[in-house]
Amino acid sequence: MTPMQLGTGMELEILRLAMTVGVFMGAIYTLFSVVRRILRAAVAVFICDFVYALMFGTVFFVFSLAQTDYIRGFIFIAMAIGAVLWQLSLGRIVTAFFYKFADAADKFIIYPAISVIAKIGRMIGGIFVKSDTISEK
C-alpha cells in the first residue's frame, strides 16, 4: 500500500490550490444564484443547485485525483472554505451588483417584452376565435 504522506510543503501547496479552486467555485455559485434570482421558479432553483453540486463534486474528484491520486478530505474542506470565503468577501459585492442588474433587467427588459408578447398573442387569438354573437333565426 502506498503511503498517503506527500510531505508538508506539497500538502500546503495542494491546500492553497484547493482553496483557490474553492474561490472559483464560489464565484460560479454566484452566477448560479443570479440565474436563480432571474428565473424565480422552484424547478430552476432545483436545477441550478443540482448542476452546481455535480460541478463541485466533479471538480473535487478530478482535482483530488490529479494532485494526490487519492480522494483526500483536506482538499474537500479547503475547497469548501475557499467557496465560503468568496461568499463572505467579494461574493457579497458581486452578488449585490448582479441582483441590481437582474432586477433592472426584469423591470425594463423582461416585463415589457412579456407584455408585448402577450398583446401580440391576444391579437392573434382574436383573429382565430369566433365571436360570441349568436344570430337568431
Side-chain angles (χ1 to χ4, degrees):
M1 179 164 218
T2 308
M4 295 200 45
Q5 290 288 4
L6 299 172
T8 306
M10 185 65 164
E11 285 186 355
L12 285 174
E13 180 68 18
I14 292 170
L15 184 73
R16 184 187 62 80
L17 289 172
M19 286 182 77
T20 305
V21 169
V23 167
F24 284 114
M25 292 305 296
I28 290 171
Y29 184 77
T30 300
L31 295 176
F32 274 105
S33 70
V34 171
V35 170
R36 289 171 39 183
R37 171 90 177 229
I38 291 171
L39 298 179
R40 293 185 184 156
V43 173
V45 171
F46 173 77
I47 290 172
C48 286
D49 287 345
F50 185 74
V51 169
Y52 179 76
L54 284 177
M55 285 176 53
F56 194 93
T58 303
V59 168
F60 163 68
F61 182 76
V62 170
F63 181 80
S64 186
L65 290 180
Q67 295 297 320
T68 64
D69 293 333
Y70 296 101
I71 304 295
R72 306 285 302 266
F74 82 92
I75 293 176
F76 179 78
I77 292 169
M79 286 177 63
I81 289 171
V84 168
L85 287 175
W86 167 264
Q87 291 299 327
L88 294 177
S89 60
L90 192 57
R92 288 184 181 205
I93 297 167
V94 172
T95 302
F97 171 76
F98 277 125
Y99 278 3
K100 286 184 182 190
F101 178 76
D103 289 343
D106 191 32
K107 185 176 180 181
F108 295 112
I109 298 171
I110 296 171
Y111 180 74
I114 289 173
S115 64
V116 167
I117 291 170
K119 286 178 185 177
I120 292 171
R122 284 192 298 270
M123 226 171 27
I124 291 173
I127 294 172
F128 295 108
V129 176
K130 293 181 181 179
S131 64
D132 290 319
T133 58
I134 300 174
S135 60
E136 295 183 27
K137 291 185 180 183

